[in-house]
PDB file of all heavy atoms in Angstrom:
ATOM      1  N   GLU A 207      -8.428  22.822  -4.503  1.00 98.00           N
ATOM      2  CA  GLU A 207      -7.805  21.722  -5.326  1.00 98.00           C
ATOM      3  C   GLU A 207      -6.574  21.088  -4.750  1.00 98.00           C
ATOM      4  O   GLU A 207      -6.201  19.994  -5.040  1.00 98.00           O
ATOM      5  CB  GLU A 207      -7.565  22.105  -6.805  1.00 98.00           C
ATOM      6  CG  GLU A 207      -8.860  22.460  -7.590  1.00 98.00           C
ATOM      7  CD  GLU A 207      -9.396  23.727  -7.084  1.00 98.00           C
ATOM      8  OE1 GLU A 207      -8.790  24.732  -6.691  1.00 98.00           O
ATOM      9  OE2 GLU A 207     -10.759  23.832  -7.212  1.00 98.00           O
ATOM     10  N   VAL A 208      -5.836  22.007  -3.992  1.00 98.00           N
ATOM     11  CA  VAL A 208      -4.516  21.546  -3.513  1.00 98.00           C
ATOM     12  C   VAL A 208      -4.561  20.353  -2.501  1.00 98.00           C
ATOM     13  O   VAL A 208      -3.695  19.619  -2.263  1.00 98.00           O
ATOM     14  CB  VAL A 208      -3.690  22.737  -2.855  1.00 98.00           C
ATOM     15  CG1 VAL A 208      -4.072  22.902  -1.282  1.00 98.00           C
ATOM     16  CG2 VAL A 208      -2.292  22.643  -2.980  1.00 98.00           C
ATOM     17  N   PHE A 209      -5.865  20.096  -1.959  1.00 98.00           N
ATOM     18  CA  PHE A 209      -6.121  18.940  -1.068  1.00 98.00           C
ATOM     19  C   PHE A 209      -6.440  17.746  -1.750  1.00 98.00           C
ATOM     20  O   PHE A 209      -6.671  16.702  -1.055  1.00 98.00           O
ATOM     21  CB  PHE A 209      -7.081  19.444   0.065  1.00 98.00           C
ATOM     22  CG  PHE A 209      -6.647  20.567   0.800  1.00 98.00           C
ATOM     23  CD1 PHE A 209      -7.177  21.774   0.778  1.00 98.00           C
ATOM     24  CD2 PHE A 209      -5.625  20.407   1.763  1.00 98.00           C
ATOM     25  CE1 PHE A 209      -6.774  22.979   1.539  1.00 98.00           C
ATOM     26  CE2 PHE A 209      -5.101  21.585   2.512  1.00 98.00           C
ATOM     27  CZ  PHE A 209      -5.751  22.716   2.398  1.00 98.00           C
ATOM     28  N   ASP A 210      -6.754  17.728  -3.034  1.00 98.00           N
ATOM     29  CA  ASP A 210      -7.104  16.525  -3.709  1.00 98.00           C
ATOM     30  C   ASP A 210      -6.042  15.518  -3.639  1.00 98.00           C
ATOM     31  O   ASP A 210      -4.835  15.707  -3.926  1.00 98.00           O
ATOM     32  CB  ASP A 210      -7.431  16.963  -5.242  1.00 98.00           C
ATOM     33  CG  ASP A 210      -8.726  17.705  -5.374  1.00 98.00           C
ATOM     34  OD1 ASP A 210      -9.488  17.777  -4.329  1.00 98.00           O
ATOM     35  OD2 ASP A 210      -9.046  18.188  -6.416  1.00 98.00           O
ATOM     36  N   GLY A 211      -6.407  14.247  -3.225  1.00 97.00           N
ATOM     37  CA  GLY A 211      -5.511  13.250  -3.020  1.00 97.00           C
ATOM     38  C   GLY A 211      -4.635  13.330  -1.872  1.00 97.00           C
ATOM     39  O   GLY A 211      -3.695  12.488  -1.653  1.00 97.00           O
ATOM     40  N   ILE A 212      -4.941  14.233  -0.931  1.00 98.00           N
ATOM     41  CA  ILE A 212      -4.229  14.324   0.333  1.00 98.00           C
ATOM     42  C   ILE A 212      -4.868  13.617   1.480  1.00 98.00           C
ATOM     43  O   ILE A 212      -6.151  13.693   1.667  1.00 98.00           O
ATOM     44  CB  ILE A 212      -4.024  15.875   0.717  1.00 98.00           C
ATOM     45  CG1 ILE A 212      -3.047  16.542  -0.349  1.00 98.00           C
ATOM     46  CG2 ILE A 212      -3.570  15.998   2.085  1.00 98.00           C
ATOM     47  CD1 ILE A 212      -1.663  16.097  -0.244  1.00 98.00           C
ATOM     48  N   ASP A 213      -4.080  12.950   2.238  1.00 97.00           N
ATOM     49  CA  ASP A 213      -4.647  12.051   3.280  1.00 97.00           C
ATOM     50  C   ASP A 213      -4.658  12.846   4.529  1.00 97.00           C
ATOM     51  O   ASP A 213      -5.623  12.764   5.364  1.00 97.00           O
ATOM     52  CB  ASP A 213      -3.891  10.853   3.594  1.00 97.00           C
ATOM     53  CG  ASP A 213      -3.970   9.872   2.483  1.00 97.00           C
ATOM     54  OD1 ASP A 213      -5.047   9.456   2.050  1.00 97.00           O
ATOM     55  OD2 ASP A 213      -2.915   9.327   1.839  1.00 97.00           O
ATOM     56  N   VAL A 214      -3.649  13.560   4.887  1.00 98.00           N
ATOM     57  CA  VAL A 214      -3.482  14.427   6.131  1.00 98.00           C
ATOM     58  C   VAL A 214      -2.984  15.767   5.652  1.00 98.00           C
ATOM     59  O   VAL A 214      -2.003  15.982   4.987  1.00 98.00           O
ATOM     60  CB  VAL A 214      -2.542  13.714   7.138  1.00 98.00           C
ATOM     61  CG1 VAL A 214      -2.327  14.646   8.429  1.00 98.00           C
ATOM     62  CG2 VAL A 214      -2.846  12.343   7.466  1.00 98.00           C
ATOM     63  N   ALA A 215      -3.685  16.786   6.376  1.00 98.00           N
ATOM     64  CA  ALA A 215      -3.343  18.267   6.100  1.00 98.00           C
ATOM     65  C   ALA A 215      -2.953  18.936   7.384  1.00 98.00           C
ATOM     66  O   ALA A 215      -3.798  19.059   8.285  1.00 98.00           O
ATOM     67  CB  ALA A 215      -4.403  18.966   5.314  1.00 98.00           C
ATOM     68  N   MET A 216      -1.710  19.426   7.516  1.00 97.00           N
ATOM     69  CA  MET A 216      -1.273  20.064   8.808  1.00 97.00           C
ATOM     70  C   MET A 216      -1.397  21.515   8.501  1.00 97.00           C
ATOM     71  O   MET A 216      -0.877  22.047   7.582  1.00 97.00           O
ATOM     72  CB  MET A 216       0.098  19.677   9.206  1.00 97.00           C
ATOM     73  CG  MET A 216       0.164  18.205   9.444  1.00 97.00           C
ATOM     74  SD  MET A 216       1.810  17.847  10.323  1.00 97.00           S
ATOM     75  CE  MET A 216       2.957  18.143   8.936  1.00 97.00           C
ATOM     76  N   PHE A 217      -2.150  22.318   9.535  1.00 96.00           N
ATOM     77  CA  PHE A 217      -2.332  23.732   9.308  1.00 96.00           C
ATOM     78  C   PHE A 217      -1.499  24.481  10.410  1.00 96.00           C
ATOM     79  O   PHE A 217      -1.657  24.207  11.508  1.00 96.00           O
ATOM     80  CB  PHE A 217      -3.751  24.035   9.402  1.00 96.00           C
ATOM     81  CG  PHE A 217      -4.629  23.697   8.202  1.00 96.00           C
ATOM     82  CD1 PHE A 217      -5.049  22.417   8.175  1.00 96.00           C
ATOM     83  CD2 PHE A 217      -5.002  24.638   7.315  1.00 96.00           C
ATOM     84  CE1 PHE A 217      -5.806  22.029   6.915  1.00 96.00           C
ATOM     85  CE2 PHE A 217      -5.760  24.297   6.311  1.00 96.00           C
ATOM     86  CZ  PHE A 217      -6.199  23.058   6.025  1.00 96.00           C
ATOM     87  N   ASP A 218      -0.666  25.421   9.813  1.00 93.00           N
ATOM     88  CA  ASP A 218       0.030  26.341  10.803  1.00 93.00           C
ATOM     89  C   ASP A 218      -0.219  27.692  10.157  1.00 93.00           C
ATOM     90  O   ASP A 218       0.643  28.291   9.638  1.00 93.00           O
ATOM     91  CB  ASP A 218       1.470  26.114  10.965  1.00 93.00           C
ATOM     92  CG  ASP A 218       1.921  27.067  12.172  1.00 93.00           C
ATOM     93  OD1 ASP A 218       1.407  26.792  13.257  1.00 93.00           O
ATOM     94  OD2 ASP A 218       2.454  27.980  11.866  1.00 93.00           O
ATOM     95  N   VAL A 219      -1.424  28.217  10.515  1.00 93.00           N
ATOM     96  CA  VAL A 219      -1.875  29.523   9.811  1.00 93.00           C
ATOM     97  C   VAL A 219      -2.762  30.191  10.975  1.00 93.00           C
ATOM     98  O   VAL A 219      -3.110  29.567  11.955  1.00 93.00           O
ATOM     99  CB  VAL A 219      -2.758  29.387   8.629  1.00 93.00           C
ATOM    100  CG1 VAL A 219      -1.828  28.787   7.393  1.00 93.00           C
ATOM    101  CG2 VAL A 219      -3.838  28.278   8.767  1.00 93.00           C
ATOM    102  N   PRO A 220      -3.074  31.420  10.680  1.00 92.00           N
ATOM    103  CA  PRO A 220      -3.921  32.138  11.774  1.00 92.00           C
ATOM    104  C   PRO A 220      -5.291  31.529  11.944  1.00 92.00           C
ATOM    105  O   PRO A 220      -5.797  30.843  11.058  1.00 92.00           O
ATOM    106  CB  PRO A 220      -4.006  33.628  11.171  1.00 92.00           C
ATOM    107  CG  PRO A 220      -2.742  33.757  10.355  1.00 92.00           C
ATOM    108  CD  PRO A 220      -2.518  32.400   9.821  1.00 92.00           C
ATOM    109  N   ASP A 221      -5.924  31.771  13.095  1.00 95.00           N
ATOM    110  CA  ASP A 221      -7.234  31.072  13.374  1.00 95.00           C
ATOM    111  C   ASP A 221      -8.253  31.278  12.240  1.00 95.00           C
ATOM    112  O   ASP A 221      -8.893  30.278  11.944  1.00 95.00           O
ATOM    113  CB  ASP A 221      -7.734  31.767  14.647  1.00 95.00           C
ATOM    114  CG  ASP A 221      -6.964  31.475  15.941  1.00 95.00           C
ATOM    115  OD1 ASP A 221      -5.825  30.938  15.864  1.00 95.00           O
ATOM    116  OD2 ASP A 221      -7.555  31.709  16.965  1.00 95.00           O
ATOM    117  N   GLU A 222      -8.418  32.547  11.754  1.00 97.00           N
ATOM    118  CA  GLU A 222      -9.444  32.729  10.834  1.00 97.00           C
ATOM    119  C   GLU A 222      -9.219  31.960   9.434  1.00 97.00           C
ATOM    120  O   GLU A 222     -10.102  31.464   8.815  1.00 97.00           O
ATOM    121  CB  GLU A 222      -9.645  34.212  10.549  1.00 97.00           C
ATOM    122  CG  GLU A 222      -8.508  35.015   9.948  1.00 97.00           C
ATOM    123  CD  GLU A 222      -7.396  35.357  10.913  1.00 97.00           C
ATOM    124  OE1 GLU A 222      -7.528  34.960  12.227  1.00 97.00           O
ATOM    125  OE2 GLU A 222      -6.474  36.161  10.510  1.00 97.00           O
ATOM    126  N   ILE A 223      -7.868  31.769   9.082  1.00 96.00           N
ATOM    127  CA  ILE A 223      -7.664  31.009   7.830  1.00 96.00           C
ATOM    128  C   ILE A 223      -7.916  29.428   8.055  1.00 96.00           C
ATOM    129  O   ILE A 223      -8.537  28.779   7.327  1.00 96.00           O
ATOM    130  CB  ILE A 223      -6.173  31.204   7.297  1.00 96.00           C
ATOM    131  CG1 ILE A 223      -6.014  32.700   7.006  1.00 96.00           C
ATOM    132  CG2 ILE A 223      -5.834  30.327   6.269  1.00 96.00           C
ATOM    133  CD1 ILE A 223      -4.681  33.121   6.697  1.00 96.00           C
ATOM    134  N   SER A 224      -7.539  28.920   9.291  1.00 97.00           N
ATOM    135  CA  SER A 224      -7.763  27.583   9.766  1.00 97.00           C
ATOM    136  C   SER A 224      -9.269  27.389   9.722  1.00 97.00           C
ATOM    137  O   SER A 224      -9.864  26.343   9.213  1.00 97.00           O
ATOM    138  CB  SER A 224      -7.274  27.213  11.090  1.00 97.00           C
ATOM    139  OG  SER A 224      -5.835  26.995  10.967  1.00 97.00           O
ATOM    140  N   ALA A 225     -10.037  28.298  10.395  1.00 98.00           N
ATOM    141  CA  ALA A 225     -11.497  28.142  10.505  1.00 98.00           C
ATOM    142  C   ALA A 225     -12.070  28.027   9.141  1.00 98.00           C
ATOM    143  O   ALA A 225     -13.027  27.210   8.904  1.00 98.00           O
ATOM    144  CB  ALA A 225     -12.005  29.338  11.207  1.00 98.00           C
ATOM    145  N   GLU A 226     -11.604  28.731   8.093  1.00 98.00           N
ATOM    146  CA  GLU A 226     -12.134  28.648   6.655  1.00 98.00           C
ATOM    147  C   GLU A 226     -11.719  27.411   5.980  1.00 98.00           C
ATOM    148  O   GLU A 226     -12.523  26.717   5.222  1.00 98.00           O
ATOM    149  CB  GLU A 226     -11.730  29.845   5.980  1.00 98.00           C
ATOM    150  CG  GLU A 226     -12.213  29.947   4.540  1.00 98.00           C
ATOM    151  CD  GLU A 226     -11.792  31.187   3.751  1.00 98.00           C
ATOM    152  OE1 GLU A 226     -11.246  32.123   4.362  1.00 98.00           O
ATOM    153  OE2 GLU A 226     -11.930  31.179   2.504  1.00 98.00           O
ATOM    154  N   TRP A 227     -10.378  27.158   6.074  1.00 98.00           N
ATOM    155  CA  TRP A 227      -9.783  26.101   5.164  1.00 98.00           C
ATOM    156  C   TRP A 227      -9.716  24.722   5.722  1.00 98.00           C
ATOM    157  O   TRP A 227      -9.705  23.682   4.840  1.00 98.00           O
ATOM    158  CB  TRP A 227      -8.348  26.620   4.647  1.00 98.00           C
ATOM    159  CG  TRP A 227      -8.509  27.647   3.720  1.00 98.00           C
ATOM    160  CD1 TRP A 227      -8.503  29.011   3.998  1.00 98.00           C
ATOM    161  CD2 TRP A 227      -8.670  27.498   2.288  1.00 98.00           C
ATOM    162  NE1 TRP A 227      -8.690  29.776   2.782  1.00 98.00           N
ATOM    163  CE2 TRP A 227      -8.805  28.871   1.828  1.00 98.00           C
ATOM    164  CE3 TRP A 227      -8.836  26.464   1.436  1.00 98.00           C
ATOM    165  CZ2 TRP A 227      -8.954  29.119   0.366  1.00 98.00           C
ATOM    166  CZ3 TRP A 227      -9.100  26.736   0.125  1.00 98.00           C
ATOM    167  CH2 TRP A 227      -9.088  27.993  -0.392  1.00 98.00           C
ATOM    168  N   ALA A 228      -9.624  24.461   6.987  1.00 98.00           N
ATOM    169  CA  ALA A 228      -9.601  23.118   7.476  1.00 98.00           C
ATOM    170  C   ALA A 228     -10.843  22.333   7.107  1.00 98.00           C
ATOM    171  O   ALA A 228     -10.681  21.151   6.647  1.00 98.00           O
ATOM    172  CB  ALA A 228      -9.455  23.054   9.180  1.00 98.00           C
ATOM    173  N   PRO A 229     -12.034  22.911   7.190  1.00 98.00           N
ATOM    174  CA  PRO A 229     -13.310  22.140   6.699  1.00 98.00           C
ATOM    175  C   PRO A 229     -13.128  21.913   5.190  1.00 98.00           C
ATOM    176  O   PRO A 229     -13.585  20.859   4.609  1.00 98.00           O
ATOM    177  CB  PRO A 229     -14.406  23.065   7.130  1.00 98.00           C
ATOM    178  CG  PRO A 229     -13.867  23.943   8.064  1.00 98.00           C
ATOM    179  CD  PRO A 229     -12.514  24.160   7.768  1.00 98.00           C
ATOM    180  N   VAL A 230     -12.523  22.757   4.391  1.00 98.00           N
ATOM    181  CA  VAL A 230     -12.341  22.522   2.911  1.00 98.00           C
ATOM    182  C   VAL A 230     -11.491  21.335   2.726  1.00 98.00           C
ATOM    183  O   VAL A 230     -11.780  20.351   1.852  1.00 98.00           O
ATOM    184  CB  VAL A 230     -11.628  23.776   2.287  1.00 98.00           C
ATOM    185  CG1 VAL A 230     -11.368  23.537   0.824  1.00 98.00           C
ATOM    186  CG2 VAL A 230     -12.734  24.904   2.427  1.00 98.00           C
ATOM    187  N   ALA A 231     -10.332  21.225   3.542  1.00 98.00           N
ATOM    188  CA  ALA A 231      -9.498  20.014   3.334  1.00 98.00           C
ATOM    189  C   ALA A 231     -10.325  18.749   3.743  1.00 98.00           C
ATOM    190  O   ALA A 231     -10.095  17.744   2.934  1.00 98.00           O
ATOM    191  CB  ALA A 231      -8.233  20.197   4.292  1.00 98.00           C
ATOM    192  N   VAL A 232     -11.086  18.853   4.736  1.00 98.00           N
ATOM    193  CA  VAL A 232     -11.844  17.648   5.084  1.00 98.00           C
ATOM    194  C   VAL A 232     -12.785  17.301   3.994  1.00 98.00           C
ATOM    195  O   VAL A 232     -12.972  16.035   3.695  1.00 98.00           O
ATOM    196  CB  VAL A 232     -12.448  17.896   6.466  1.00 98.00           C
ATOM    197  CG1 VAL A 232     -13.550  16.744   6.763  1.00 98.00           C
ATOM    198  CG2 VAL A 232     -11.603  18.088   7.573  1.00 98.00           C
ATOM    199  N   SER A 233     -13.435  18.270   3.504  1.00 98.00           N
ATOM    200  CA  SER A 233     -14.452  18.027   2.345  1.00 98.00           C
ATOM    201  C   SER A 233     -13.797  17.428   1.049  1.00 98.00           C
ATOM    202  O   SER A 233     -14.354  16.719   0.302  1.00 98.00           O
ATOM    203  CB  SER A 233     -15.154  19.263   1.865  1.00 98.00           C
ATOM    204  OG  SER A 233     -14.242  20.118   1.169  1.00 98.00           O
ATOM    205  N   ARG A 234     -12.476  17.538   1.009  1.00 98.00           N
ATOM    206  CA  ARG A 234     -11.677  16.920  -0.129  1.00 98.00           C
ATOM    207  C   ARG A 234     -10.996  15.523   0.246  1.00 98.00           C
ATOM    208  O   ARG A 234     -10.254  14.987  -0.474  1.00 98.00           O
ATOM    209  CB  ARG A 234     -10.528  17.886  -0.591  1.00 98.00           C
ATOM    210  CG  ARG A 234     -11.124  19.301  -1.192  1.00 98.00           C
ATOM    211  CD  ARG A 234     -11.440  19.103  -2.605  1.00 98.00           C
ATOM    212  NE  ARG A 234     -12.166  20.234  -3.054  1.00 98.00           N
ATOM    213  CZ  ARG A 234     -12.173  20.586  -4.415  1.00 98.00           C
ATOM    214  NH1 ARG A 234     -11.530  19.859  -5.265  1.00 98.00           N
ATOM    215  NH2 ARG A 234     -12.769  21.582  -4.805  1.00 98.00           N
ATOM    216  N   GLY A 235     -11.415  15.130   1.483  1.00 97.00           N
ATOM    217  CA  GLY A 235     -10.967  13.799   1.937  1.00 97.00           C
ATOM    218  C   GLY A 235      -9.780  13.731   2.711  1.00 97.00           C
ATOM    219  O   GLY A 235      -9.352  12.543   3.133  1.00 97.00           O
ATOM    220  N   ALA A 236      -9.305  14.758   3.270  1.00 98.00           N
ATOM    221  CA  ALA A 236      -8.160  14.818   4.204  1.00 98.00           C
ATOM    222  C   ALA A 236      -8.593  14.827   5.662  1.00 98.00           C
ATOM    223  O   ALA A 236      -9.797  15.328   5.902  1.00 98.00           O
ATOM    224  CB  ALA A 236      -7.188  15.958   3.859  1.00 98.00           C
ATOM    225  N   VAL A 237      -7.723  14.356   6.537  1.00 98.00           N
ATOM    226  CA  VAL A 237      -7.866  14.700   7.920  1.00 98.00           C
ATOM    227  C   VAL A 237      -7.165  16.001   8.344  1.00 98.00           C
ATOM    228  O   VAL A 237      -5.965  16.008   7.940  1.00 98.00           O
ATOM    229  CB  VAL A 237      -7.406  13.472   8.877  1.00 98.00           C
ATOM    230  CG1 VAL A 237      -7.660  13.836  10.424  1.00 98.00           C
ATOM    231  CG2 VAL A 237      -8.253  12.186   8.636  1.00 98.00           C
ATOM    232  N   ALA A 238      -7.734  16.890   8.870  1.00 98.00           N
ATOM    233  CA  ALA A 238      -6.973  18.197   9.138  1.00 98.00           C
ATOM    234  C   ALA A 238      -6.418  18.196  10.696  1.00 98.00           C
ATOM    235  O   ALA A 238      -7.139  17.832  11.485  1.00 98.00           O
ATOM    236  CB  ALA A 238      -7.996  19.334   9.006  1.00 98.00           C
ATOM    237  N   VAL A 239      -5.100  18.507  10.810  1.00 98.00           N
ATOM    238  CA  VAL A 239      -4.492  18.655  12.187  1.00 98.00           C
ATOM    239  C   VAL A 239      -4.256  20.157  12.222  1.00 98.00           C
ATOM    240  O   VAL A 239      -3.355  20.663  11.468  1.00 98.00           O
ATOM    241  CB  VAL A 239      -3.267  17.801  12.244  1.00 98.00           C
ATOM    242  CG1 VAL A 239      -2.698  17.919  13.656  1.00 98.00           C
ATOM    243  CG2 VAL A 239      -3.463  16.317  11.855  1.00 98.00           C
ATOM    244  N   ASP A 240      -4.873  20.754  13.141  1.00 97.00           N
ATOM    245  CA  ASP A 240      -4.836  22.354  13.139  1.00 97.00           C
ATOM    246  C   ASP A 240      -4.049  22.748  14.339  1.00 97.00           C
ATOM    247  O   ASP A 240      -4.379  22.403  15.530  1.00 97.00           O
ATOM    248  CB  ASP A 240      -6.195  22.881  13.147  1.00 97.00           C
ATOM    249  CG  ASP A 240      -6.250  24.430  13.221  1.00 97.00           C
ATOM    250  OD1 ASP A 240      -5.341  24.930  12.435  1.00 97.00           O
ATOM    251  OD2 ASP A 240      -6.972  24.982  13.907  1.00 97.00           O
TER     252      ASP A 240
END
Side-chain angles (χ1 to χ4, degrees):
E207 294 73 31
V208 87
F209 298 110
D210 289 348
I212 289 293
D213 294 306
V214 179
M216 298 194 290
F217 284 81
D218 188 72
V219 290
D221 291 15
E222 61 277 9
I223 297 175
S224 280
E226 179 183 348
W227 285 94
V230 173
V232 174
S233 74
R234 296 275 172 158
V237 178
V239 183
D240 181 41

